[in-house]
Amino acid sequence: MPVVSRVTLRHLKMPLVRPYRLSYRTFEEFEPYLVEIEDSDGRSGFADAHISPGSSSETREGGWRFACERIEEILGLPSGAAKDRLLARFPESKAATTALVSAIEVMERNVNLLVTQPVTLPLLVPVNALSPGDVGQEVEDLLAKGFTTLKVKVGKDVDADLSRIAAIQDASRGRATLRLDANRAYTRDQGVAFASRLSPDAIELFEQPCDADDWDANAAVAAASRVPLMLDEPICTLADIERAATIGNVGFCKLKLKRFGGLDRLREGLDAVRARGMQPVLGDGLGSEVQGWLEACVATHTVDNAGEFNGFLKPHDRLFENPLPFSNGSIHLPEGYWPRLDRAAVDRFTIEKRTFHT
């Protein structure tokens, strides 16, 4: 039986085209951990995950240390046993575990990655302009590029946020759907005030108004909201999905691969959201091209709305020799698509590297 024989762990730093502003942090570059794995039969796979400081209690330093320790433990194990060993420690470092497990699944040619026919996956895009005068031109530019779902970050100031949303609604004039995302930045009272005063025109959902651990505050906002809520950061397990389904007006759950521990577990989670009467949304706007590919492939089986796996569009450069095909606001996966890492790009972005072998 083939066993894990070699693992290379890299810390990449990829500069962005423009700063990516979230309520809790502005990113100038993405810093994913890239895992490359081989077994004794010569099979290989790769995956990555980006730990976002401020998004959870997981830190980059802790994730790197955790990954190094777990790699030492899985050397010499068959792939199934290696995945079991890793997932037993999943709560300690979700993103690091996911990168390792997903790399093994890629090595195994997991069924969720097989593209058996051409598929088009529309993506959303963030609106970056802040002033009403700039909003109109940016919206026109995004629509001209083929995007029809726009993401609007809120959570700084209720009145200013409502004014900006109204400007975007006016600029898009029904030609685009809006998703609003507070990234946990509102207090309970602010969230209620914002959600109850929204004009619902063309707004699909309002994402994560309050702290991820404050389920009561998010439920209060959901009760007051004129549009359905989507929970994001609290959704990491099937139990979290069950809990979300008990809250009135939570119509969506967003899942990210890096929080679910692997491709099979992500697929199970997305199916569970739909089975509980909600709509699943998938994707990490902080993900690299590797993460975008993995999430896009799972989306072909499970998701029928705009994907949020658009992080690969934010850095200056890509990571694949055969880049993830993208045009007119959508990923276009041809039948049989399978990416190859661009070795020169990977080396150029590597700021730390460790190799482990039996």
Side-chain angles (χ1 to χ4, degrees), residues 32 41 51 67 108 147 160 184 214 228 233 265 281 314 348:
D41 273 2
I51 295 175
E108 296 172 325
F147 294 103
R184 303 163 288 130
D214 197 340
E233 282 86 357
R265 285 163 60 113
V281 172
K314 297 179 175 80
R348 187 167 68 252

Side-chain angles (χ1 to χ4, degrees), residues 14 30 32 48 50 284 286-293 311-312 315 319:
M14 305 178 65
F30 289 165
D48 73 359
H50 182 241
D284 184 9
L286 293 165
S288 75
E289 189 172 27
V290 175
Q291 196 81 176
W293 165 57
F312 71 98
L319 291 175

Side-chain angles (χ1 to χ4, degrees), residues 13-145:
K13 180 174 285 191
M14 305 178 65
L16 306 185
V17 174
R18 64 177 61 86
Y20 183 45
R21 293 188 302 270
L22 302 177
S23 64
Y24 61 89
R25 186 185 179 97
T26 296
F27 289 88
E28 303 282 347
E29 60 271 320
F30 289 165
E31 298 189 42
Y33 291 155
L34 176 67
V35 176
E36 298 175 75
I37 194 164
E38 301 172 26
D39 73 8
S40 53
D41 273 2
R43 299 184 303 171
S44 64
F46 59 87
D48 73 359
H50 182 241
I51 295 175
S52 173
S55 178
S56 70
S57 60
E58 197 168 2
T59 66
R60 287 176 177 159
E61 297 78 10
W64 180 269
R65 183 172 58 253
F66 178 91
C68 291
E69 292 170 354
R70 300 292 80 74
I71 291 169
E72 294 277 14
E73 294 176 357
I74 66 172
L75 289 172
L77 293 181
S79 61
K83 289 186 294 185
D84 290 343
R85 179 74 65 88
L86 292 165
L87 289 168
R89 305 283 294 272
F90 172 66
E92 298 174 43
S93 187
K94 295 180 176 70
T97 300
T98 298
L100 291 163
V101 171
S102 299
I104 295 173
E105 291 177 313
V106 172
M107 181 178 72
E108 296 172 325
R109 297 301 190 262
N110 184 278
V111 66
N112 291 296
L113 298 176
L114 304 181
V115 183
T116 58
Q117 60 184 7
V119 63
T120 296
L121 299 164
L123 299 181
L124 59 63
V125 66
V127 177
N128 293 300
L130 298 177
S131 69
D134 294 332
V135 161
Q137 186 58 57
E138 183 177 11
V139 168
E140 291 299 329
D141 291 345
L142 296 175
L143 291 171
K145 292 176 181 177

Side-chain angles (χ1 to χ4, degrees), residues 75-235:
L75 289 172
L77 293 181
S79 61
K83 289 186 294 185
D84 290 343
R85 179 74 65 88
L86 292 165
L87 289 168
R89 305 283 294 272
F90 172 66
E92 298 174 43
S93 187
K94 295 180 176 70
T97 300
T98 298
L100 291 163
V101 171
S102 299
I104 295 173
E105 291 177 313
V106 172
M107 181 178 72
E108 296 172 325
R109 297 301 190 262
N110 184 278
V111 66
N112 291 296
L113 298 176
L114 304 181
V115 183
T116 58
Q117 60 184 7
V119 63
T120 296
L121 299 164
L123 299 181
L124 59 63
V125 66
V127 177
N128 293 300
L130 298 177
S131 69
D134 294 332
V135 161
Q137 186 58 57
E138 183 177 11
V139 168
E140 291 299 329
D141 291 345
L142 296 175
L143 291 171
K145 292 176 181 177
F147 294 103
T148 57
T149 302
L150 308 180
K151 187 155 197 174
V152 186
K153 297 292 187 178
V154 298
K156 296 290 188 182
D157 177 276
V158 170
D159 290 333
D161 288 340
L162 287 168
S163 176
R164 181 166 176 253
I165 290 162
I168 294 171
Q169 287 173 313
D170 183 62
S172 59
R173 295 186 298 279
R175 295 172 294 167
T177 299
L178 308 186
R179 290 182 186 171
L180 317 181
D181 184 8
N183 286 121
R184 303 163 288 130
Y186 283 139
T187 65
R188 178 183 182 136
D189 290 346
Q190 289 171 329
V192 167
F194 174 83
S196 63
R197 292 167 57 191
L198 277 173
S199 169
D201 294 345
I203 297 177
E204 181 183 15
L205 57 85
F206 174 30
E207 179 180 349
Q208 202 58 51
C210 304
D211 187 80
D213 295 326
D214 197 340
W215 289 78
D216 289 342
N218 286 298
V221 176
S225 181
R226 301 187 67 195
V227 301
L229 245 64
M230 177 166 76
L231 296 182
D232 175 10
E233 282 86 357
I235 307 301

Side-chain angles (χ1 to χ4, degrees), residues 236-259:
C236 300
T237 66
L238 297 180
D240 297 331
I241 294 168
E242 294 278 2
R243 186 173 183 180
T246 68
I247 302 174
N249 203 31
V250 171
F252 299 80
C253 284
K254 183 164 80 173
L255 278 61
K256 297 175 181 176
L257 174 59
K258 71 181 184 183
R259 288 205 300 260

Side-chain angles (χ1 to χ4, degrees), residues 277-327:
M278 300 175 290
Q279 293 189 52
V281 172
L282 173 60
D284 184 9
L286 293 165
S288 75
E289 189 172 27
V290 175
Q291 196 81 176
W293 165 57
L294 297 172
E295 291 186 331
C297 287
V298 177
T300 66
H301 303 282
T302 56
V303 174
D304 58 8
N305 50 41
E308 303 218 0
F309 33 89
N310 62 4
F312 71 98
L313 299 174
K314 297 179 175 80
H316 285 280
D317 299 290
R318 302 281 201 93
L319 291 175
F320 293 157
E321 280 185 355
N322 50 336
L324 199 59
F326 174 82
S327 63

